[in-house]
Amino acid sequence: MEGIGIWGVPLAIFAGAIRVSTPFIFVSLGESITERSGRINLGLEGTLVFGAMTAYAVAVMSNSPWLGVLAAMATGAVFGLIHGFICKFPKVNDIAIGIAMMQFGLGLAFFLGKPFIQPVAPHLPSIALGGWSSSPQIQSALNINVLFIIGALLAVALWWAFKNTRVGLILRVVGDSSDAARAMGLNPDTARLLATAVGGSLAAVGGAYLSLFYPGSWNEGISSGQGLMAVALVIFARWNPIGCFLAALLFGGAGALGPALQSVGVTQGYYLFYAAPYVLTLVILVVTSSPTRSLAGAPGALSITK
Amino acid sequence: MIKLLPMNRRSFLQTTAAGAAAIGLSPSLFSTTAAAQTALTVGFIYVGPKDDYGYNQAHAEGAAVIKAMPGVTVVEEENVPETVDVQKTMESMINLDGASLIFPTSFGYFDPHMLAMAAKYPDVQFRHCGGLWQEGKNPMNTGSYFGYIGQGQYLNGIAAGYASKSKKIGFVAAKPIPQVLQNINSFLLGARSVDPAITCQVIFTGEWSLAVKEAEATNALIDQGADVITCHVDSPKVVVETAAGRGAFVCGYHANQSPLAPEKYLTGAEWAWGNVYTKFVTEAQAGTPLGNFVRGGLKDGFVKMSPLGPGVSAEARTKFDATLAEMMKGSFSVFKGPIKDNKGGDAVTAGQTLAEDAIELESMAYLVEGVVGSTS
Amino acid sequence: MTIEANIPTLPPLSAQSGNLRPILEWLARRAEPVAISLGAILAGLALFSIFITVVGKSPIDLFKLMYTGGFGSWFSIQNSLSRAAPLLLTALCVALPARLGLVIIGGEGAVVLGGVAAAAAALPLTGSVSPIIVLPVMAIAGMIMGGIWIGMVGVLRHYRGVNETIASLLMAYIAIALMNHFIEGPLRDPASLNKPSTTPLPADYMLGNIPGMDVNWGLVIGILACIVSWILIEATSFGFAARIAGGNVRAAQIQGLPVGRLIVGFTALAGSFAGLAGMVEVAAVQGSANASLAAGYGYTGILVAFLARHNPLAIIPVAILLGGIDASGGLIQRRMGLPDATVLVLQGTLFVVILFCETFYGRFKIFNPDLWKRTA
């Protein structure tokens, strides 16, 4: 295979954007639903890791990766339900609960996942969109996982749904003001509960991708904070699902930068490159936030924007 | 500058001779009646999970070997970070479990943690996996043991040299420390002994265990044309699976990863800690002093190679076996001058030969010519 | 016509000695946090017991081991205290801003950079300046670095409206990357080949142990910091202003309280405590700054702060309790064959339950004397 030299960098960013971004896509889409309803769920990191563990374990035991994904969705929904249930009580700080659920989810995932570090699980399939190219690198880069495509479609579907469907409207009303929702005869708590459950479910799918496709292995270091970063991405994307998708791609590309640069000889200070995604997110947050105007487009009932 | 004992080989031989004599003199040592055994509790401390298909698993497999020895109780603790936690773990094993022989297996456990505990518990024996023990500076109830696995990586390189069609091989490395650099250089030198035109690209992930970075690095290497990959990270599982998934060959490290990629696994450089631990435990049970600076390579059974996989051609097998035989006789050196480094300077001068236990190897800070990459 | 409700009444005031009622009222108000916290802990332990039973082990055995490992002997107590020491400081990093209504979870970043700064500050001074000066200089360096790091989060929050939870977390990741960069690059001790570290502190420059104990002075530093913080919050006007602002930032601004100064001041102070924890880790445990600084003290501190309901004095017993749980983790792993994640599950369960029980404040009439009926 011929090396591709300096083209390796943009190709790696492109391929990395697709590969690394998929968990971010799912977690941020899930969190965008939750936050649109007026609740913030910081526990998605725990849900993601638990989903990764569940998907891997079920895939090992049943030899079907898709069954693993379904199982992960179920456990993600349960985590979301717990979070949503606890948060509806007065005086409960939902940011703190999120952190607590994260620790609980991580601990439980590591505990139950111990027997599954060694076995190998079947991987999720991918679609080879690169068949037109003779270059193996491009073929590999365009070897796109099915979940990425589902994520892209989901982003568009959610964007349309928020604007045009009744469920989307309910979500937005509940998210803007509990009082207005009650005046309309809606129960904000139930809506938020369901939104959090759906959010957790999607986050768990993101975790399933990590363990069943890329990097495709279960161990305790599987996540490097994707769940928490995705929450930041949602704010950056202004709760717009398509914005979440694009932001996830950006973040994925930034994550692939370090190794790609090393492979073409840029080896100085590689730790600083590894910090690139976090710096990028922080800079974007700083630039797009404002102390006086509340964040444009923020759901009114969201606790962090008050 | 870390100075090492020049007598390491001899002192090791002396202690094994003593141990062998002890075995010879007391046939009851391996009898099945436990009553004849000195009961011994041995503690193992791992920095990561025991089943990581890598560094920690290699130690755990060694511990499993001595668990089967009569009279031996093994207590293990995993995921112990290199902070005061490990000191407390050691103390807990000594005070609450009655351990009298402790193996803290991670590099960062030695100073200050193990040394502090050794000073506090002079009747307990501590042996550290690494090469840090110094006579006169460190107490006699401590010691180091390590294996010369660089020769194993050289053999990996031979297999890689024959298997590579693109003449490019790749190495996913954690941090640019001497042990890792030695492995990278040995891998490339082994491949170059097959074809001097082969180059090896290295990418440093910066952490001992970071799955996403390891996968990205593997992909980047393969994108740049490498078709045989090896690594030095704590758990090679991700690298092996990702490389094999992209159609590249892999060489294993630490432990045998062939179940993960049966078609693409060429061979691997593995630790054989079971032999080392057996020797230590036997000496401890016999009451003879344990070696303080114990080293060995393929020849001494500290390191072993995985069985050759289906991707190894007959020609490759011949050269592999021949080199291995030379190494087993102790007559082979990987670093034989002249060798240039990849910045144009001299790494090993003409006429100079660095044996596998040479001190200079412990402070290696260069990458040899033919390695594409930089240590900083 | 008046309607008499059947509310339990206390005997009329005139029928009691004059002192009893106020004492009862005082007790009732004070009892609320204690009773609810205790109830929450018991509920959490009960849930955890159910989990352990489902997994097939005995919760009684587990709790006995937790007691043995955490508090059952002088060795265990010291083990717990050692682990609690850094938590005292990192919990303050969460608790202080929390009184202002800010949730900061990136203390880990301040810890690691504080440690690096402390080690760097010591580099030019060791050998020529006496330890009595070097140690405070290290402490100040660590505190300044940590204060700047978390103070930046406060600045971003007040002047740019950036959510401080996410910002502090991002800063923590950036801090760890910076730490790695400095430790392996500009600040690296050339002799620290296999474990990149800064130049080690000579033994007489290390922060020693409390006389008669196996616990370093970091414990005392942490306790003092908690006391100082409590005084600051409860007994100074600055603290009083913070508590008001914590209730409602907009109202505080309208009233003219210097909210910006409060936010930056408190976050900087919080960060300085975390940076101090990093300095203690370097000066008392590791002897140099290396990758082991990122040991998770910052994250466990979050749990301690929330369990203590952000009261600096309550942080002291909570940190010791959590230190005890952590300390017993190793014993649980070895004796019951449970993974070390067991401790994480317990901590997570306790955390969730304690936070949930916040909702019970003000719900029970017995704790609110204003609702007690008094007959004339």
Side-chain angles (χ1 to χ4, degrees):
Chain A
M1 195 193 310
E2 267 297 301
I4 45 178
I6 195 76
W7 282 111
V9 179
L11 186 69
I13 295 179
F14 172 71
I18 297 177
R19 274 194 298 256
V20 179
S21 67
T22 308
F24 289 113
I25 295 175
F26 278 90
V27 182
S28 61
L29 285 179
E31 181 67 3
S32 74
I33 297 176
T34 309
E35 292 196 14
R36 279 282 182 134
S37 79
R39 176 107 0 107
I40 185 165
N41 184 355
L42 281 178
L44 288 181
E45 174 77 1
T47 313
L48 174 126
V49 173
F50 197 84
M53 191 278 298
T54 312
Y56 199 81
V58 171
V60 165
M61 295 192 286
S62 71
N63 216 31
S64 155
W66 288 109
L67 215 54
V69 174
L70 283 176
M73 286 178 79
T75 57
V78 169
F79 269 82
L81 282 172
I82 297 177
H83 184 277
F85 176 75
I86 297 182
C87 282
K88 73 175 202 255
F89 288 94
K91 292 212 191 91
V92 175
N93 181 338
D94 58 352
I95 291 186
I97 288 280
I99 299 170
M101 289 296 289
M102 171 177 86
Q103 295 207 343
F104 177 68
L106 286 174
L108 202 60
F110 294 155
F111 184 95
L112 295 173
K114 210 97 194 45
F116 294 103
I117 295 183
Q118 271 227 350
V120 180
H123 279 190
L124 286 169
S126 52
I127 301 182
L129 292 177
W132 50 268
S133 164
S134 59
S135 154
Q137 290 91 341
I138 297 188
Q139 280 178 355
S140 160
L142 288 176
N143 213 11
I144 297 183
N145 180 264
V146 180
L147 279 181
F148 177 82
I149 298 172
I150 295 180
L153 293 172
L154 192 62
V156 175
L158 279 179
W159 172 80
W160 184 85
F162 280 155
K163 274 187 187 307
N164 298 316
T165 66
R166 191 167 165 270
V167 175
L169 181 63
I170 293 176
L171 211 57
R172 281 186 293 140
V173 169
V174 166
D176 273 331
S177 161
S178 309
D179 293 333
R182 279 194 205 100
M184 278 175 61
L186 300 167
N187 184 340
D189 286 331
T190 316
R192 288 186 190 134
L193 187 71
L194 292 173
T196 315
V198 171
S201 184
L202 287 175
V205 173
Y209 174 88
L210 282 174
S211 65
L212 288 179
F213 189 72
Y214 193 80
S217 178
W218 161 252
N219 57 48
E220 300 187 4
I222 190 106
S223 169
S224 47
Q226 279 98 327
L228 292 159
M229 295 306 109
V231 177
L233 286 180
V234 172
I235 300 177
F236 159 50
R238 290 284 174 272
W239 297 273
N240 178 335
I242 297 193
C244 290
F245 178 74
L246 295 172
L249 281 177
L250 182 67
F251 210 90
L257 198 61
L261 283 174
Q262 267 196 63
S263 79
V264 291
V266 180
T267 52
Q268 292 283 15
Y270 51 83
Y271 279 114
L272 301 178
F273 283 114
Y274 290 153
Y278 309 112
V279 174
L280 182 67
T281 313
L282 188 62
V283 165
I284 286 169
L285 272 182
V286 172
V287 165
T288 58
S289 300
S290 155
T292 47
R293 297 177 294 122
S294 70
L295 299 169
L302 205 55
S303 52
I304 57 166
T305 58
K306 289 213 175 66
Chain B
M1 199 64 166
I2 297 176
K3 280 204 176 289
L4 296 171
L5 279 186
M7 301 296 179
N8 45 17
R9 183 71 58 93
R10 203 200 298 170
S11 64
F12 168 70
L13 286 173
Q14 277 176 342
T15 46
T16 32
I23 294 172
L25 284 175
S26 351
S28 60
L29 265 177
F30 286 111
S31 72
T32 48
T33 52
Q37 282 309 316
T38 328
L40 182 68
T41 304
V42 185
F44 282 87
I45 306 177
Y46 312 110
V47 74
K50 278 191 297 194
D51 31 20
D52 62 355
Y53 260 112
Y55 182 80
N56 295 296
Q57 181 168 321
H59 284 289
E61 285 173 359
V65 169
I66 64 165
K67 265 187 220 177
M69 292 171 70
V72 176
T73 315
V74 171
V75 287
E76 297 165 285
E77 203 171 311
E78 52 183 357
N79 286 322
V80 182
E82 294 169 350
T83 66
V84 75
D85 288 9
V86 69
Q87 291 187 29
K88 300 301 177 185
T89 297
M90 286 191 258
E91 278 199 273
S92 180
M93 285 181 173
I94 295 170
N95 286 324
L96 300 171
D97 294 329
S100 53
L101 173 58
I102 306 250
F103 292 109
T105 59
S106 178
F107 191 84
Y109 289 157
F110 185 76
D111 185 0
H113 308 298
M114 189 180 106
L115 294 176
M117 289 301 104
K120 195 169 169 195
Y121 295 99
D123 289 331
V124 175
Q125 293 291 325
F126 297 83
R127 290 298 178 275
H128 176 256
C129 182
L132 297 172
W133 189 82
Q134 289 175 251
E135 187 174 21
K137 189 167 171 213
N138 299 129
M140 291 301 281
N141 64 332
T142 59
S144 289
Y145 63 95
F146 205 64
Y148 299 118
I149 203 168
Q151 294 202 331
Q153 280 287 13
Y154 186 90
L155 290 171
N156 273 351
I158 292 180
Y162 279 103
S164 172
K165 303 226 172 1
S166 67
K167 302 299 167 193
K168 287 189 184 167
I169 55 182
F171 200 107
V172 178
K175 295 186 190 250
I177 64 173
Q179 282 166 17
V180 177
L181 297 176
Q182 196 180 338
N183 281 332
I184 301 169
N185 292 331
S186 304
F187 186 57
L188 190 263
L189 289 172
R192 281 205 155 179
S193 75
V194 174
D195 181 348
I198 292 185
T199 58
C200 175
Q201 180 152 38
V202 64
I203 292 187
F204 293 100
T205 62
E207 289 290 337
W208 288 106
S209 185
L210 203 53
V212 179
K213 280 281 171 285
E214 290 160 18
E216 274 306 303
T218 311
N219 276 306
L221 288 171
I222 296 179
D223 282 342
Q224 288 297 337
D227 58 359
V228 186
I229 307 283
T230 190
C231 64
H232 186 154
V233 294
D234 270 359
S235 173
K237 186 172 184 221
V238 171
V239 174
V240 169
E241 290 183 328
T242 310
R246 287 276 313 255
F249 284 108
V250 287
C251 292
Y253 188 65
H254 286 317
N256 187 345
Q257 290 100 22
S258 63
L260 299 173
E263 297 300 313
K264 293 294 183 185
Y265 193 81
L266 295 174
T267 182
E270 301 178 42
W271 303 108
W273 295 127
N275 297 333
V276 182
Y277 293 141
T278 308
K279 288 184 178 103
F280 274 125
V281 167
T282 314
E283 288 165 2
Q285 285 184 317
T288 52
L290 281 77
N292 294 99
F293 199 83
V294 175
R295 295 285 197 109
L298 286 161
K299 179 163 94 56
D300 317 286
F302 279 47
V303 172
K304 61 184 183 204
M305 298 303 291
S306 314
L308 296 172
V312 182
S313 64
E315 197 192 346
R317 198 175 289 256
T318 314
K319 172 141 188 170
F320 181 94
D321 288 338
T323 316
L324 180 59
E326 260 195 83
M327 288 178 176
M328 295 297 261
K329 281 198 288 232
S331 53
F332 189 88
S333 289
V334 171
F335 291 94
K336 215 180 327 200
I339 301 180
K340 283 201 165 323
D341 67 34
N342 69 350
K343 294 197 167 84
D346 281 326
V348 184
T349 53
Q352 190 187 16
T353 302
L354 296 173
E356 72 177 355
D357 55 354
I359 300 177
E360 292 89 330
L361 296 178
E362 307 285 329
S363 47
M364 186 178 292
Y366 54 81
L367 288 167
V368 299
E369 191 211 352
V371 176
V372 178
S374 165
T375 56
S376 61
Chain C
M1 217 170 85
T2 54
I3 300 173
E4 293 288 309
N6 271 332
I7 300 174
T9 60
L10 283 174
L13 194 58
S14 53
Q16 296 172 305
S17 74
N19 285 335
L20 193 55
R21 168 93 185 199
I23 292 178
L24 281 174
E25 287 189 8
W26 184 89
L27 266 178
R29 280 189 227 274
R30 286 287 175 275
E32 187 177 34
V34 177
I36 294 187
S37 300
L38 268 176
I41 292 179
L42 286 172
L45 289 176
L47 277 174
F48 183 65
S49 308
I50 297 177
F51 170 70
I52 293 293
T53 318
V54 166
V55 171
K57 304 273 179 186
S58 153
I60 311 277
D61 286 347
L62 189 92
F63 291 128
K64 272 202 262 184
L65 273 181
M66 279 182 69
Y67 179 72
T68 315
F71 304 103
S73 63
W74 181 227
F75 160 72
S76 300
I77 294 177
Q78 290 183 95
N79 193 350
S80 307
L81 288 175
S82 285
R83 290 170 193 260
L87 299 181
L88 293 166
L89 290 167
T90 56
L92 284 175
C93 185
V94 178
L96 286 172
R99 297 304 284 261
L100 267 176
L102 303 171
V103 180
I104 297 217
I105 59 176
E108 188 83 357
V111 170
V112 302
L113 284 182
V116 171
L123 281 176
L125 298 176
T126 52
S128 50
V129 180
S130 104
I132 301 228
I133 301 189
V134 173
L135 283 173
V137 167
M138 286 175 75
I140 292 173
M143 289 175 79
I144 291 179
M145 185 75 230
I148 292 175
W149 201 249
I150 306 286
M152 271 205 283
V153 175
V155 165
L156 286 176
R157 162 65 199 243
H158 182 70
Y159 294 103
R160 288 296 309 180
V162 177
N163 175 264
E164 74 282 359
T165 311
I166 297 174
S168 67
L169 194 69
L170 292 170
M171 300 278 282
Y173 280 112
I174 297 173
I176 292 178
L178 281 174
M179 171 197 78
N180 276 319
H181 174 79
F182 279 112
I183 288 178
E184 301 209 2
L187 289 179
R188 180 177 177 165
D189 172 25
S192 66
L193 293 163
N194 280 309
K195 180 166 175 157
S197 313
T198 57
T199 314
L201 281 177
D204 46 341
Y205 282 87
M206 300 262 302
L207 192 68
N209 284 342
I210 302 171
M213 291 175 74
D214 215 0
V215 182
N216 66 58
W217 282 102
L219 180 69
V220 174
I221 294 175
I223 293 180
L224 284 174
C226 288
I227 296 177
V228 164
S229 300
W230 185 83
I231 294 175
L232 175 73
I233 292 182
E234 302 290 336
T236 67
S237 52
F238 195 65
F240 187 61
R243 280 184 286 142
I244 295 186
N248 188 330
V249 175
R250 295 246 164 81
Q253 276 175 317
I254 291 171
Q255 289 191 19
L257 288 178
V259 172
R261 267 192 285 153
L262 282 171
I263 289 182
V264 177
F266 263 71
T267 49
L269 185 63
S272 71
F273 283 136
L276 188 59
M279 172 262 173
V280 169
E281 184 70 11
V282 169
V285 177
Q286 301 281 344
S288 66
N290 53 51
S292 302
L293 275 179
Y297 294 134
Y299 295 118
T300 317
I302 301 173
L303 178 56
V304 174
F306 274 96
L307 286 182
R309 304 188 76 236
H310 307 302
N311 178 332
L313 283 185
I315 284 179
I316 300 175
V318 172
I320 295 178
L321 175 69
L322 264 123
I325 295 178
D326 257 343
S328 63
L331 203 58
I332 293 176
Q333 226 196 94
R334 300 200 305 270
R335 294 285 175 81
M336 293 183 75
L338 285 171
D340 63 308
T342 315
V343 167
L344 287 178
V345 175
L346 173 60
Q347 286 177 349
T349 312
L350 279 178
F351 201 178
V352 174
V353 173
I354 296 250
L355 287 175
F356 175 68
C357 289
E358 285 288 315
T359 194
F360 291 124
Y361 281 87
R363 292 252 197 135
F364 295 122
K365 287 214 184 64
I366 188 168
F367 293 121
N368 190 348
D370 297 331
L371 295 177
W372 299 346
K373 204 72 166 85
R374 190 194 298 204
T375 57

